[in-house]
Amino acid sequence: MKRLESGGSIRRDEELSFWYDGKRYTGFAGDTLASALLGAGVHVLGSSVSLGRPRGIMAARLEEATGFVQLVTPDATEPLVRASAVALYEGLVAESRIVRGYVEEREDSARFDKRYAHCDICVIGAGPAGLMAARVAVAAGARVVVVEADPAPGGALLRDDVTIAGTTGAAWVHSTWEALGSADDCRLLTDATVMTSLDHGGLMVLQRIGRQLAVRERGGLPEMRLWQIRARRTILATGMLERPIVFQDNDRPGIMLASAAREYLARYALAPEAGVVFTSTDDGYRTALAWHRAGARVAAVVDPRHQGGGALRDAVRACGVRCITGVVEGSGADAEGRLATVRVHTARGIETLRADVLAVSGGYEPASLLHTERKGRTRYDAWWAAAVPDVPLPGEGIAGGVRGVASLAACLADGARAAVEALGVLGLAIAPMETPVVDEVSESEPAQLWRVPAPDGDESRSFVDLHRDATVAGVSRAVNAGATHIEHIKRYTLIGTGVEQGRAAKTNSGVLAAVLTGRDVSAVGTSGGRPPVEPMLFAALAGRASRERFVPVRTTGIHPSHEALSAVFEPAGQWLRPSRYPRPGETVAGTVGRECRAVRYSVGLMDASTLGKIDVRGPDATWFLEQLYVNGIGSIPVGKGRYSAMCRMDGSLLDDGLVLRLEENRYFVTASTGHAAAVVDWMEEWLQTEWPERRVWVTPVTEQFATVAIVGPRAREVMTVLAPGIDLSRGAFPFLAIRHGTVAGMEGAMVARVSFSGELAFEVSVPWDRGQTLWAAAMSAGSPWRITPYGLDALQVLRMEKGYIIIGQDTEATTTPYDAGLGWMVSKKKAFVGKRSLARPAMLRPDRAQLVGFVTEDPEVVLPEGAGLVREVHEPPMVIEGHVSSTAYSATLGRSLGLALVRGGRARLGERLFAPVEHGVIPVMLVDPVHVDPEGKKRDGWEDTDR
Amino acid sequence: MIALSRVPLAMQLALRVRGHAARVRLASALHIPAMPSPNRWTASSHGDLLWLGPEEFLLAQPGSDLIALPTFLATAIGPSDGAVVDVSSARVALDLDESDAREVLASCCALDLHPSVFAEDHCAQTLIGQAPVVLQRLPGPSSFRILVRPSPEDYVTRWLQDAIVHPSWRVPPEGVE
């Protein structure tokens, strides 16, 4: 192909440099990378996947099977990009990678955008049918989005010489587009591909923005934008795809679809030195006409039909172009591998024509993936010899070529019809609108020619799928191997498994399979497609949800104080919580040990704001909580709380927490940080589905209250400073009691005497935004006792020393309260969710996994959590007796310890087990889970500080 | 320029109310003709009243902090017909003003906020990014209030600020809406 001196819609005054495989070329503004390569004389783009045959551009749109490149920018690299979908820009760099792309290890600094859009009608495709549909919809006042995959609207009108409403197709497209653009509620997306259509009008659209511009022009623009469109109605107007004909050596660069050849001429002024057209339809003659009118030499039009061609054939003949009745049965190449000769088989014999471009038209078929991927019905259409969408899906309209509508006039009318139908469903008034008058010739019936047999019988060079190097011989092998279903043949031959999903190969492979298995074409069908329509980057899917916007990071109101104390943070669910507060030069173990010692021997404080808090109130509140918690609730006196747990219906532990009774019919319930939302959902589920008549209301108040735990034998002294108005003495404020009063000058603060460390502890709750005030006051009040902030690391050690469990860490999905050592709390007197399951024989088996404590024989070795425990060590496989759920080094006891779930564990205390880990076998001894203060003496503080 | 501002709310109350009679009593106490219907809000004598769910409303009071209000409303509802829970600190209000507010939200919120769909008395529970929020359309051509839990406030603000700093919807090749 060569660039003509004039013509096309390229801007010749703007020359652009680009690099392909390290060599510099030039093209023009308005080129695609594909047209620029062809214009620069680069016809061989690369080698095929398995046979290493030269391949080039064979299409201008979605049919492309081989014209893929790796696009490289300073920001990022993008594999498997269709060259005809890339707008040429100054400095574009691409590499020959037609089948396998690559990704780079470095961070992608490109920006990707994601937006939501909503409309009454989304028109997919801005060809004649789509534009007409959009015009009608906009005139009726509908909110409309038009999505066009090409940078320019118009579809087939961009390549075909037609007259609409007395003007050229291009002029009609321009004026229609302008009118749509100036409408109030019409959004026009070009360079945007609908990647998938979903139920209920959902559309995922990828729009190429910055990627189509020179790097220096991108500015703050995103590379691409993912649109999530929700349309009340969609109108599928995606047109048709052209089908190639299979013959020997049909893969040479220079052999392309006839419509593509016409598009490269009309838009980019690219014409052959000497062209041959091989067509089984009238449409192919349009290419010959266009070439001839542009001054290119047309060697011949080859048509298998004896009578075919009609008015278009006559027009070509009238130009003096030779029309041959026959078929192309092979091709020859030059030294580079480009097409050089075309072998034509006619009734009179074999003739070889010199040609650099062979335009092939094997007919058209609907571009219907967005319909068929959702299992939309199709029917076999004999005229097109293809499956055509039949009954629209819910919310879907189908218009124009994709519905098998042939002529331009009919497509325009069909677009209007589809819009009127959609507007009718939406109840929008329809403005009358005439379909523009079109001047076009009628076409004669296409021949059903898919394949020309190889003259020498060697079908291993007759390509069905150029992307996958799959040939007629390969399909024969598949059938001979017993594959008859088209999906089996697909998987045997890999036809249609490339990035382009074998769009140009599917029908041909189906027909071939039908012939080889002696069945009807309509019975074999074609293999299914799947989203996305074209390859897309994961980065584009993520859109803006990356880096600091990837997932919500939740922080407490006291977070700035932790930062000021140089805390080390860790994620706990979505929360960011302090692990520890290291001092300069301190080791991790040193920090954790110091924080633990402070709590055990003086006083520490912790931000417990993330604890789930739920307000439960109403006349039936007590009844309701009795149903969900395993222990008695009604017996909790007002002003006191109880440690409790809830089960799922299968008797497994859902969560544990405190039930604090604030008033007769009002409770304050706590839940684990990670289970707070699940517990609220659990309560609401029961209330909404089983007991809607019960008068109880559940309100999550986690973020209403900041909570600071003041913990340790000196906690009472600190609290005395903070809350002089509250009687904190052991007698007046016993364990599990709640008091309201003024703390740190804040009225109405709630103080609860609960403990997750076994030490004397006061948990103080104030409004969320007052948390920092409370924290600062506690730090100041505790300074005489060197009050020490502690984090999750120390908390883990402290609670483990006491055998306090964390649901989800020390329990599994089947662990019951009995297994976890919480059997003492299970009420025998009342019914609760999960109770019946707990009585089932399997729940009572003595060999269930039960929670135990353990110590390592070597006190310095800390086992990894999750380590398996065995009775005998030998070559794997070994019988696993249980696993380690929590471990830590206890500075208080000066040894490593932990918790484990062990088969029949509670009856095995004192037994020696082994943990085979990466660097050896660690012997452990099973012990009671409570390692520190088993009598619970420390809970109320030191005797000598009690008043 | 788009303005994102944090608006102080003196008091927020989670209101739960069951039954027609209690709804009428509560509406009367708030000096409104009726409780708002689903996904609607109304201005009452004691602040904006937003429908959050069946039997569930949020009263957001921007003015002075009325200590007696929870008790007053709880009395109106009655002890057996609902609840009033103080959640004054449980959400913060972020107001998004000016003409492009809808475009900013279209970058992080899946709801259709077109004035014909999300009118001036509309509100909804939705997501900004992945964070749950209550979105309230404010009077004016294009103003919204985002009621968000304090813990993901930074995350939500980052989403909005990013859209404000990169107003790419203004740039061609995209058409106008």
Side-chain angles (χ1 to χ4, degrees), chain A residues 32-33 69-73 75-90 92-93 110-112 149 151 191-193 195 206-215 217-219 221-225 534-537 540, chain B residues 173:
Chain A
T32 64
L33 175 58
V69 299
Q70 180 94 21
L71 205 56
V72 183
T73 70
D75 275 345
T77 180
E78 189 184 349
L80 296 167
V81 183
R82 179 160 59 84
S84 53
V86 180
L88 188 70
Y89 53 79
E90 177 62 31
L92 184 149
V93 178
R111 234 170 50 78
F112 292 86
D191 244 333
T193 305
M195 290 297 182
L206 185 70
Q207 186 178 28
R208 296 161 287 273
I209 300 173
R211 213 223 32 208
Q212 302 289 55
L213 301 172
V215 173
E217 291 167 10
R218 290 181 190 180
L221 287 177
E223 293 286 293
M224 300 185 198
R225 174 180 296 150
E534 292 204 89
M536 58 193 298
L537 298 171

Side-chain angles (χ1 to χ4, degrees), chain A residues 111 113-116 118 143 181 184-190 209 220-222 225 227 544-545 548-555 575 615 617 619 684 692-695 697-701 703-704 767-769, chain B residues 14 16-18 55 79-90 103-104 106-112 114 116-117 130-131 149-152 155 158-159 162-163 166 168-169 171-177:
Chain A
R111 234 170 50 78
D113 194 20
K114 189 168 179 176
R115 297 185 68 72
Y116 297 93
H118 306 260
R143 296 168 66 196
D184 273 348
D185 263 327
C186 182
R187 194 190 282 270
L188 304 176
L189 306 180
T190 53
I209 300 173
L221 287 177
R225 174 180 296 150
W227 289 91
R544 297 163 65 240
E548 77 271 20
R549 289 178 302 275
F550 181 51
V551 287
V553 174
R554 302 171 66 186
T555 53
W575 291 100
D615 182 291
R617 64 174 82 181
E684 284 289 354
E693 74 288 355
R694 289 288 175 172
R695 295 190 173 253
W697 291 276
V698 173
T699 309
V701 290
E703 296 187 45
Q704 170 64 19
W768 186 270
D769 44 0
Chain B
R16 308 293 291 265
V17 56
R18 181 172 300 175
E55 302 187 353
S80 298
D81 295 320
V84 177
V85 180
D86 185 355
V87 289
S88 299
S89 301
E103 296 288 0
V104 169
S107 69
C108 50
C109 175
L111 284 192
D112 187 356
H114 191 275
S116 69
V117 176
Q130 294 175 47
R149 301 275 183 206
S151 69
Y155 167 84
R158 276 197 293 266
W159 267 101
D162 183 67
H166 300 285
S168 53
W169 61 86
V171 180
E174 184 191 324
V176 290
E177 188 181 15

Side-chain angles (χ1 to χ4, degrees), chain A residues 123-182:
Chain A
V123 179
I124 306 167
L131 286 173
M132 198 63 213
R135 262 184 71 176
V136 173
V138 163
R143 296 168 66 196
V144 176
V145 174
V146 183
V147 186
E148 169 54 49
D150 196 85
L157 297 175
L158 294 178
R159 62 172 188 248
D160 289 345
D161 185 14
V162 296
T163 304
I164 304 181
T167 178
T168 65
W172 182 80
V173 169
H174 182 76
S175 64
T176 305
W177 197 248
E178 292 276 297
L180 292 174
S182 61

